[in-house]
Amino acid sequence: MLPILYQLMAATVALTLGNTTLSVEVAKTAEAFEKGLQDRTSITDDEGMLFVYREPMFLSFWMKDTKVPLSIGFFDERRRLINVEDMNPPAHGQKESELPKFTSTRPAVYALEVRQGWFEDHNIKPGMTFYLE
């Protein structure tokens, strides 16, 4: 069964988590998954990218060609936060094979990338659920 959010057609949606609403780009295609937030030189406190997968699985991300520090939250099929990982841009000259991977601790359906520290700054904890407006 496909998650209801996989059927979203909009490129950008309003996502509420805790007391904060973000404008998030929705990534559902292989091209969008691969590009993510690469080549951005900044990211504001009220924007991010939501990755939507067809079914629950262990999700793994890396920071290839990403210039800004990010935090990523992994969510289950009920949109509940599983875990958060802080991701730093690669060091100058770091080889692709040396890049760390950031993985969900349980099968996830959604991943939300935001500026690094966003989850902590907004007191977002595992178990909290996001909603779309």
Coordinates of all heavy atoms in Angstrom, one line a residue, residues 21-106:
T21 N 5.7 25.5 11.3 CA 5.3 25.2 9.9 C 6.4 25.5 9.0 O 7.0 26.6 9.0 CB 4.0 25.9 9.5 OG1 3.0 25.5 10.4 CG2 3.6 25.5 8.1
L22 N 6.8 24.5 8.1 CA 7.8 24.7 7.1 C 7.2 24.7 5.7 O 6.2 24.0 5.5 CB 8.8 23.5 7.2 CG 9.6 23.3 8.5 CD1 10.2 21.9 8.4 CD2 10.6 24.3 8.6
S23 N 7.9 25.3 4.8 CA 7.5 25.1 3.4 C 8.6 24.1 2.8 O 9.8 24.4 2.8 CB 7.7 26.5 2.6 OG 7.5 26.3 1.2
V24 N 8.1 22.9 2.5 CA 9.0 21.9 2.1 C 8.8 21.5 0.6 O 7.7 21.4 0.1 CB 8.9 20.6 3.0 CG1 9.3 20.9 4.4 CG2 7.5 20.0 2.9
E25 N 9.9 21.3 -0.1 CA 9.8 20.7 -1.4 C 9.6 19.2 -1.2 O 10.2 18.6 -0.3 CB 11.1 20.9 -2.2 CG 11.4 22.4 -2.4 CD 12.8 22.6 -3.0 OE1 13.1 21.9 -4.1 OE2 13.6 23.4 -2.5
V26 N 8.8 18.6 -2.1 CA 8.6 17.2 -2.0 C 9.4 16.4 -3.1 O 9.3 16.7 -4.3 CB 7.1 16.9 -2.2 CG1 6.8 15.4 -2.1 CG2 6.2 17.6 -1.1
A27 N 10.2 15.5 -2.6 CA 11.0 14.7 -3.5 C 10.4 13.3 -3.6 O 10.3 12.6 -2.6 CB 12.4 14.6 -3.1
K28 N 10.0 12.8 -4.8 CA 9.5 11.5 -5.0 C 10.1 10.8 -6.2 O 9.9 9.6 -6.3 CB 8.0 11.6 -5.3 CG 7.1 12.2 -4.2 CD 5.7 12.1 -4.5 CE 5.3 12.6 -5.9 NZ 3.9 12.6 -6.2
T29 N 10.8 11.5 -7.0 CA 11.4 10.8 -8.2 C 12.9 10.5 -7.9 O 13.5 11.1 -7.0 CB 11.3 11.8 -9.4 OG1 12.1 12.9 -9.1 CG2 9.9 12.2 -9.7
A30 N 13.5 9.6 -8.7 CA 14.9 9.3 -8.6 C 15.8 10.5 -8.7 O 16.7 10.7 -8.0 CB 15.2 8.2 -9.6
E31 N 15.4 11.4 -9.7 CA 16.2 12.6 -9.9 C 16.2 13.5 -8.7 O 17.2 14.0 -8.3 CB 15.7 13.3 -11.1 CG 16.4 14.6 -11.5 CD 15.9 15.3 -12.7 OE1 16.1 14.8 -13.8 OE2 15.2 16.3 -12.5
A32 N 15.0 13.7 -8.1 CA 14.8 14.6 -7.0 C 15.6 13.9 -5.8 O 16.2 14.7 -5.0 CB 13.4 14.8 -6.6
F33 N 15.5 12.6 -5.6 CA 16.2 12.0 -4.5 C 17.7 12.2 -4.6 O 18.4 12.4 -3.6 CB 15.9 10.5 -4.5 CG 14.6 10.0 -4.0 CD1 13.5 10.9 -3.9 CD2 14.3 8.7 -3.7 CE1 12.3 10.5 -3.4 CE2 13.1 8.3 -3.2 CZ 12.1 9.2 -3.0
E34 N 18.2 12.0 -5.8 CA 19.6 12.2 -6.0 C 20.1 13.6 -5.8 O 21.2 13.8 -5.2 CB 20.0 11.7 -7.5 CG 21.5 11.7 -7.7 CD 21.8 11.1 -9.1 OE1 21.1 10.2 -9.5 OE2 22.7 11.6 -9.7
K35 N 19.4 14.6 -6.3 CA 19.8 16.0 -6.1 C 19.6 16.5 -4.7 O 20.4 17.2 -4.2 CB 19.1 16.8 -7.1 CG 19.5 18.3 -7.1 CD 19.3 19.0 -8.4 CE 19.7 20.4 -8.3 NZ 21.1 20.7 -8.2
G36 N 18.4 16.2 -4.1 CA 18.1 16.7 -2.8 C 18.4 18.2 -2.7 O 18.0 19.0 -3.5
L37 N 19.2 18.6 -1.6 CA 19.5 20.0 -1.4 C 20.9 20.3 -1.8 O 21.5 21.3 -1.4 CB 19.3 20.4 0.1 CG 17.8 20.3 0.6 CD1 17.7 20.5 2.1 CD2 17.0 21.3 -0.2
Q38 N 21.5 19.6 -2.8 CA 22.8 19.8 -3.3 C 22.8 21.2 -3.9 O 21.8 21.7 -4.4 CB 23.2 18.8 -4.4 CG 23.5 17.5 -3.9 CD 23.8 16.5 -5.1 OE1 23.8 16.9 -6.3 NE2 24.1 15.3 -4.8
D39 N 24.0 21.8 -3.9 CA 24.3 23.1 -4.5 C 23.6 24.3 -3.9 O 23.8 25.4 -4.4 CB 24.0 23.0 -6.0 CG 24.8 21.9 -6.8 OD1 25.9 21.7 -6.4 OD2 24.2 21.3 -7.7
R40 N 22.9 24.1 -2.8 CA 22.3 25.2 -2.1 C 23.4 25.9 -1.3 O 24.3 25.2 -0.7 CB 21.2 24.8 -1.1 CG 20.1 24.0 -1.7 CD 19.1 24.9 -2.5 NE 18.2 24.0 -3.2 CZ 17.0 23.7 -2.8 NH1 16.5 24.3 -1.7 NH2 16.2 23.0 -3.5
T41 N 23.4 27.2 -1.2 CA 24.4 27.9 -0.4 C 23.9 28.3 0.9 O 24.6 28.7 1.8 CB 25.0 29.1 -1.2 OG1 23.9 29.9 -1.5 CG2 25.7 28.7 -2.4
S42 N 22.5 28.2 1.1 CA 21.9 28.5 2.4 C 20.6 27.8 2.4 O 20.0 27.4 1.4 CB 21.8 30.0 2.6 OG 20.9 30.5 1.7
I43 N 20.0 27.7 3.6 CA 18.7 27.2 3.8 C 18.1 27.9 5.1 O 18.8 28.0 6.1 CB 18.7 25.6 4.0 CG1 17.3 25.1 4.2 CG2 19.5 25.2 5.2 CD1 17.1 23.6 4.0
T44 N 16.9 28.4 4.9 CA 16.3 29.2 6.0 C 15.7 28.3 7.0 O 15.5 27.1 6.8 CB 15.3 30.2 5.4 OG1 14.2 29.5 4.9 CG2 15.9 31.1 4.4
D45 N 15.3 28.9 8.1 CA 14.7 28.2 9.2 C 13.3 27.6 8.9 O 12.8 26.7 9.5 CB 14.6 29.1 10.5 CG 14.3 28.3 11.7 OD1 15.0 27.3 12.0 OD2 13.3 28.6 12.4
D46 N 12.6 28.2 7.8 CA 11.3 27.7 7.5 C 11.2 27.0 6.2 O 10.1 26.9 5.6 CB 10.3 28.9 7.5 CG 10.7 30.0 6.5 OD1 11.7 29.9 5.9 OD2 9.8 30.9 6.3
E47 N 12.3 26.4 5.8 CA 12.2 25.6 4.5 C 13.0 24.3 4.7 O 13.8 24.1 5.6 CB 12.8 26.4 3.3 CG 14.2 26.7 3.5 CD 14.8 27.5 2.3 OE1 14.0 27.8 1.4 OE2 15.9 27.9 2.4
G48 N 12.6 23.3 3.8 CA 13.3 22.0 3.9 C 12.9 21.2 2.7 O 12.3 21.7 1.7
M49 N 13.2 19.9 2.7 CA 12.9 18.9 1.7 C 12.4 17.7 2.3 O 13.0 17.1 3.2 CB 14.0 18.7 0.8 CG 13.7 17.7 -0.4 SD 15.0 17.6 -1.7 CE 14.5 19.0 -2.7
L50 N 11.2 17.2 1.8 CA 10.6 16.0 2.3 C 10.8 14.9 1.2 O 10.3 15.1 0.1 CB 9.1 16.2 2.6 CG 8.4 15.0 3.1 CD1 8.9 14.6 4.5 CD2 6.9 15.3 3.2
F51 N 11.4 13.8 1.6 CA 11.6 12.7 0.7 C 10.5 11.6 1.1 O 10.4 11.3 2.2 CB 13.0 12.0 0.9 CG 14.1 13.0 0.5 CD1 14.6 13.9 1.4 CD2 14.7 12.9 -0.7 CE1 15.6 14.8 1.1 CE2 15.7 13.8 -1.1 CZ 16.2 14.7 -0.2
V52 N 9.8 11.2 0.0 CA 8.7 10.3 0.3 C 9.0 9.0 -0.5 O 9.2 9.0 -1.7 CB 7.3 10.9 -0.3 CG1 6.2 9.9 0.0 CG2 7.1 12.3 0.4
Y53 N 8.9 7.9 0.2 CA 9.2 6.5 -0.3 C 7.9 5.7 -0.4 O 7.0 6.0 0.2 CB 10.3 5.8 0.5 CG 11.6 6.5 0.4 CD1 11.9 7.6 1.2 CD2 12.6 6.0 -0.5 CE1 13.1 8.2 1.0 CE2 13.8 6.6 -0.6 CZ 14.1 7.7 0.1 OH 15.3 8.4 0.0
R54 N 8.0 4.7 -1.3 CA 6.8 3.9 -1.6 C 6.4 3.0 -0.4 O 5.3 2.6 -0.2 CB 7.0 3.1 -2.8 CG 7.0 3.8 -4.1 CD 7.1 2.9 -5.3 NE 6.9 3.6 -6.6 CZ 5.8 3.7 -7.2 NH1 4.7 3.2 -6.6 NH2 5.7 4.4 -8.3
E55 N 7.4 2.5 0.3 CA 7.2 1.6 1.4 C 8.3 1.7 2.5 O 9.3 2.3 2.2 CB 7.2 0.1 0.9 CG 8.5 -0.2 0.2 CD 8.4 -1.6 -0.5 OE1 7.4 -1.8 -1.3 OE2 9.3 -2.4 -0.4
P56 N 8.0 1.3 3.7 CA 9.0 1.4 4.7 C 10.2 0.6 4.4 O 10.2 -0.5 3.9 CB 8.3 0.8 6.0 CG 6.8 0.8 5.6 CD 6.7 0.7 4.1
M57 N 11.4 1.2 4.7 CA 12.7 0.6 4.5 C 13.7 1.4 5.3 O 13.4 2.5 5.7 CB 13.1 0.5 3.0 CG 13.3 1.9 2.4 SD 13.7 1.9 0.7 CE 12.1 1.8 0.0
F58 N 14.9 0.8 5.6 CA 15.9 1.5 6.2 C 16.4 2.5 5.2 O 16.8 2.2 4.0 CB 17.1 0.6 6.6 CG 16.8 -0.1 7.9 CD1 16.2 -1.4 7.8 CD2 17.0 0.4 9.1 CE1 15.9 -2.1 9.0 CE2 16.7 -0.3 10.3 CZ 16.1 -1.5 10.2
L59 N 16.3 3.8 5.5 CA 16.8 4.9 4.6 C 18.2 5.3 4.9 O 18.5 5.4 6.1 CB 15.8 6.1 4.7 CG 14.3 5.8 4.4 CD1 13.5 7.0 4.5 CD2 14.1 5.2 3.0
S60 N 18.9 5.7 3.9 CA 20.3 6.1 4.1 C 20.6 7.3 3.2 O 20.3 7.2 2.0 CB 21.3 4.9 3.8 OG 22.6 5.2 4.2
F61 N 21.2 8.3 3.8 CA 21.5 9.5 3.0 C 23.0 9.8 3.2 O 23.6 9.4 4.1 CB 20.7 10.7 3.5 CG 19.3 10.7 3.1 CD1 18.4 9.7 3.5 CD2 18.8 11.7 2.2 CE1 17.1 9.7 3.1 CE2 17.5 11.7 1.8 CZ 16.6 10.7 2.2
W62 N 23.5 10.7 2.3 CA 24.9 11.2 2.4 C 24.9 12.6 1.9 O 23.9 13.1 1.5 CB 25.9 10.3 1.6 CG 25.7 10.2 0.1 CD1 24.6 10.7 -0.6 CD2 26.6 9.7 -0.8 NE1 24.7 10.4 -1.9 CE2 26.0 9.9 -2.1 CE3 27.8 9.2 -0.8 CZ2 26.6 9.5 -3.3 CZ3 28.4 8.8 -1.9 CH2 27.8 8.9 -3.2
M63 N 26.0 13.3 2.0 CA 26.1 14.7 1.7 C 26.9 15.0 0.5 O 27.6 16.0 0.4 CB 26.7 15.4 3.0 CG 25.8 15.4 4.2 SD 24.4 16.5 4.1 CE 25.2 18.1 4.4
K64 N 26.9 14.2 -0.5 CA 27.6 14.4 -1.7 C 27.2 15.8 -2.4 O 26.0 16.0 -2.5 CB 27.3 13.3 -2.7 CG 28.1 13.4 -4.0 CD 27.8 12.2 -4.9 CE 28.6 12.4 -6.2 NZ 27.8 13.0 -7.3
D65 N 28.2 16.6 -2.6 CA 28.0 17.9 -3.3 C 27.1 18.8 -2.5 O 26.5 19.7 -3.1 CB 27.5 17.7 -4.7 CG 28.5 17.0 -5.6 OD1 29.7 17.1 -5.4 OD2 28.0 16.3 -6.5
T66 N 26.9 18.6 -1.2 CA 26.1 19.5 -0.4 C 26.9 20.4 0.4 O 27.9 20.1 1.0 CB 25.2 18.6 0.6 OG1 24.5 17.6 -0.2 CG2 24.2 19.5 1.3
K67 N 26.5 21.7 0.3 CA 27.4 22.8 0.8 C 27.0 23.3 2.2 O 27.8 24.0 2.9 CB 27.4 24.0 -0.2 CG 28.0 23.6 -1.5 CD 27.8 24.8 -2.5 CE 28.5 24.6 -3.8 NZ 28.2 23.4 -4.5
V68 N 25.8 23.0 2.6 CA 25.3 23.5 3.9 C 25.1 22.4 4.9 O 24.6 21.3 4.5 CB 24.0 24.4 3.8 CG1 24.3 25.6 3.0 CG2 22.9 23.6 3.2
P69 N 25.3 22.6 6.2 CA 25.1 21.6 7.2 C 23.6 21.4 7.3 O 22.8 22.3 7.4 CB 25.7 22.1 8.5 CG 26.1 23.5 8.2 CD 26.0 23.8 6.8
L70 N 23.2 20.1 7.4 CA 21.7 19.7 7.5 C 21.5 18.8 8.7 O 22.4 18.1 9.1 CB 21.3 19.0 6.2 CG 21.4 19.8 4.9 CD1 21.1 18.9 3.7 CD2 20.5 21.0 4.9
S71 N 20.2 18.8 9.1 CA 19.7 17.7 10.0 C 18.7 17.0 9.2 O 18.0 17.6 8.4 CB 19.1 18.3 11.2 OG 20.1 18.9 12.1
I72 N 18.6 15.7 9.4 CA 17.6 14.8 8.7 C 16.8 14.1 9.8 O 17.4 13.5 10.7 CB 18.3 13.9 7.7 CG1 17.2 13.2 6.9 CG2 19.2 12.9 8.3 CD1 17.7 12.5 5.6
G73 N 15.5 14.1 9.6 CA 14.7 13.3 10.5 C 14.0 12.2 9.7 O 13.6 12.5 8.6
F74 N 14.0 11.0 10.2 CA 13.4 9.9 9.6 C 12.0 9.6 10.2 O 12.0 9.6 11.5 CB 14.3 8.7 9.7 CG 15.6 8.9 9.0 CD1 16.8 9.2 9.7 CD2 15.7 8.7 7.6 CE1 18.0 9.3 9.0 CE2 16.9 8.9 6.9 CZ 18.0 9.2 7.6
F75 N 11.0 9.3 9.4 CA 9.6 9.2 9.9 C 9.0 7.9 9.4 O 9.3 7.5 8.3 CB 8.7 10.3 9.5 CG 9.2 11.7 10.0 CD1 10.2 12.4 9.4 CD2 8.5 12.2 11.1 CE1 10.6 13.6 9.9 CE2 8.8 13.5 11.6 CZ 9.9 14.2 11.0
D76 N 8.2 7.2 10.3 CA 7.5 6.0 9.9 C 6.3 6.3 9.0 O 6.0 7.4 8.7 CB 7.2 5.1 11.1 CG 6.2 5.7 12.0 OD1 5.4 6.6 11.7 OD2 6.1 5.2 13.2
E77 N 5.6 5.2 8.7 CA 4.4 5.4 7.8 C 3.3 6.2 8.5 O 2.4 6.7 7.8 CB 3.9 4.0 7.4 CG 3.4 3.1 8.5 CD 4.5 2.3 9.2 OE1 5.7 2.4 8.9 OE2 4.1 1.7 10.2
R78 N 3.3 6.3 9.8 CA 2.3 7.2 10.5 C 2.8 8.6 10.6 O 2.2 9.4 11.4 CB 2.0 6.6 11.8 CG 1.3 5.2 11.7 CD 0.9 4.8 13.1 NE 0.2 3.5 13.0 CZ 0.0 2.7 14.0 NH1 0.3 3.1 15.2 NH2 -0.6 1.5 13.9
R79 N 3.9 8.9 10.0 CA 4.5 10.3 10.0 C 5.1 10.6 11.4 O 5.3 11.8 11.8 CB 3.5 11.3 9.6 CG 3.0 11.1 8.2 CD 2.0 12.2 7.7 NE 1.1 12.6 8.7 CZ -0.1 11.9 9.0 NH1 -0.4 10.8 8.4 NH2 -0.9 12.4 10.0
R80 N 5.5 9.6 12.2 CA 6.1 9.8 13.5 C 7.6 9.8 13.4 O 8.2 8.9 12.7 CB 5.7 8.7 14.5 CG 4.2 8.8 14.9 CD 3.9 7.6 15.9 NE 4.3 6.4 15.2 CZ 3.9 5.2 15.6 NH1 3.1 5.0 16.6 NH2 4.3 4.1 14.9
L81 N 8.2 10.7 14.1 CA 9.7 10.8 14.0 C 10.4 9.6 14.7 O 10.0 9.3 15.8 CB 10.1 12.1 14.7 CG 11.6 12.4 14.7 CD1 12.2 12.5 13.3 CD2 11.9 13.7 15.5
I82 N 11.3 9.0 14.0 CA 12.0 7.8 14.5 C 13.4 8.3 15.1 O 13.7 8.1 16.2 CB 12.3 6.8 13.3 CG1 11.0 6.3 12.8 CG2 13.2 5.7 13.8 CD1 11.2 5.5 11.5
N83 N 14.2 9.0 14.3 CA 15.5 9.5 14.7 C 15.9 10.7 13.9 O 15.4 10.9 12.8 CB 16.5 8.4 14.8 CG 16.9 7.9 13.4 OD1 16.1 7.3 12.7 ND2 18.2 8.1 13.0
V84 N 16.9 11.4 14.4 CA 17.4 12.6 13.8 C 18.9 12.4 13.7 O 19.6 12.0 14.7 CB 17.1 13.9 14.5 CG1 17.8 15.1 13.9 CG2 15.6 14.1 14.6
E85 N 19.5 12.8 12.6 CA 20.9 12.8 12.4 C 21.4 14.1 11.9 O 20.8 14.7 11.0 CB 21.3 11.7 11.3 CG 21.0 10.3 11.7 CD 21.8 9.7 12.8 OE1 23.0 10.1 13.0 OE2 21.3 8.9 13.5
D86 N 22.5 14.7 12.4 CA 23.1 15.9 11.9 C 24.2 15.5 10.9 O 25.0 14.6 11.1 CB 23.8 16.7 13.1 CG 22.8 17.3 14.0 OD1 21.6 17.6 13.5 OD2 23.1 17.6 15.1
M87 N 24.1 16.2 9.8 CA 25.0 15.9 8.6 C 25.8 17.1 8.3 O 25.3 18.2 8.1 CB 24.1 15.5 7.4 CG 23.2 14.3 7.7 SD 22.2 13.7 6.3 CE 21.4 15.2 5.7
N88 N 27.1 17.0 8.2 CA 28.0 18.0 7.8 C 28.5 17.9 6.3 O 28.6 16.8 5.8 CB 29.2 18.1 8.7 CG 28.9 18.5 10.1 OD1 28.2 19.5 10.3 ND2 29.3 17.7 11.1
P89 N 28.7 19.0 5.7 CA 29.2 18.9 4.3 C 30.6 18.2 4.3 O 31.3 18.2 5.3 CB 29.4 20.4 3.9 CG 28.5 21.2 4.8 CD 28.5 20.4 6.1
P90 N 30.9 17.6 3.1 CA 32.2 16.9 3.0 C 33.3 17.9 3.2 O 33.2 19.1 2.8 CB 32.2 16.3 1.6 CG 30.8 16.5 1.1 CD 30.1 17.5 1.9
A91 N 34.4 17.4 3.8 CA 35.6 18.2 3.9 C 36.2 18.4 2.5 O 36.0 17.5 1.6 CB 36.7 17.5 4.7
H92 N 36.9 19.5 2.3 CA 37.5 19.8 1.0 C 38.4 18.6 0.6 O 39.3 18.2 1.3 CB 38.3 21.1 1.0 CG 38.9 21.5 -0.3 ND1 38.2 21.9 -1.4 CD2 40.2 21.5 -0.7 CE1 39.0 22.1 -2.4 NE2 40.2 21.9 -2.0
G93 N 38.2 18.1 -0.6 CA 39.1 17.0 -1.1 C 38.6 15.6 -0.6 O 39.3 14.6 -1.0
Q94 N 37.6 15.5 0.2 CA 37.1 14.2 0.7 C 36.6 13.4 -0.5 O 35.8 13.9 -1.3 CB 36.1 14.4 1.7 CG 35.7 13.1 2.5 CD 34.7 13.4 3.7 OE1 34.2 14.5 3.8 NE2 34.6 12.4 4.5
K95 N 37.0 12.2 -0.5 CA 36.6 11.3 -1.6 C 35.2 10.8 -1.4 O 34.8 10.6 -0.2 CB 37.5 10.1 -1.7 CG 38.9 10.4 -2.1 CD 39.8 9.2 -2.1 CE 41.2 9.6 -2.4 NZ 42.1 8.4 -2.2
E96 N 34.5 10.5 -2.5 CA 33.1 10.1 -2.4 C 33.0 8.8 -1.6 O 32.1 8.6 -0.8 CB 32.5 9.8 -3.8 CG 31.1 9.6 -3.9 CD 30.6 9.6 -5.3 OE1 30.7 10.6 -6.0 OE2 30.0 8.6 -5.7
S97 N 34.0 7.9 -1.7 CA 34.0 6.6 -1.0 C 34.1 6.8 0.5 O 33.9 5.9 1.3 CB 35.0 5.7 -1.5 OG 36.3 6.3 -1.3
E98 N 34.6 8.0 0.9 CA 34.8 8.3 2.4 C 33.7 9.0 3.0 O 33.7 9.2 4.2 CB 36.1 9.2 2.5 CG 37.3 8.6 2.0 CD 38.5 9.6 2.0 OE1 38.3 10.8 2.0 OE2 39.7 9.1 2.0
L99 N 32.6 9.4 2.3 CA 31.5 10.1 2.8 C 30.7 9.2 3.8 O 30.4 8.1 3.4 CB 30.6 10.6 1.7 CG 31.2 11.7 0.8 CD1 30.2 12.0 -0.3 CD2 31.7 12.9 1.5
P100 N 30.4 9.8 5.0 CA 29.6 9.0 5.9 C 28.1 8.9 5.4 O 27.6 9.7 4.7 CB 29.6 9.8 7.2 CG 30.0 11.2 6.8 CD 30.8 11.1 5.5
K101 N 27.5 7.8 5.8 CA 26.0 7.6 5.5 C 25.3 7.8 6.8 O 25.7 7.5 7.9 CB 25.8 6.2 5.0 CG 26.6 5.9 3.7 CD 25.7 5.4 2.7 CE 26.2 5.3 1.3 NZ 27.3 5.0 0.8
F102 N 24.1 8.4 6.7 CA 23.2 8.7 7.8 C 21.9 7.9 7.6 O 21.2 8.1 6.6 CB 22.9 10.2 7.9 CG 24.2 11.0 7.9 CD1 24.8 11.5 6.8 CD2 24.8 11.3 9.2 CE1 26.0 12.2 6.9 CE2 26.0 12.0 9.2 CZ 26.6 12.4 8.1
T103 N 21.6 7.0 8.5 CA 20.6 6.0 8.3 C 19.5 6.0 9.4 O 19.8 6.3 10.5 CB 21.3 4.6 8.3 OG1 22.3 4.6 7.3 CG2 20.3 3.5 7.9
S104 N 18.3 5.7 9.0 CA 17.2 5.5 9.9 C 17.5 4.3 10.8 O 18.1 3.3 10.4 CB 15.9 5.4 9.2 OG 15.9 4.2 8.4
T105 N 17.1 4.4 12.1 CA 17.3 3.3 13.0 C 16.3 2.2 12.9 O 16.4 1.1 13.4 CB 17.4 3.8 14.5 OG1 16.1 4.5 14.8 CG2 18.6 4.7 14.7
R106 N 15.2 2.5 12.2 CA 14.1 1.6 11.9 C 13.6 1.8 10.5 O 13.9 2.9 9.9 CB 12.9 1.7 12.9 CG 13.2 1.4 14.3 CD 12.0 1.2 15.1 NE 10.9 2.1 14.8 CZ 10.5 3.2 15.5 NH1 11.2 3.6 16.6 NH2 9.5 4.0 15.2

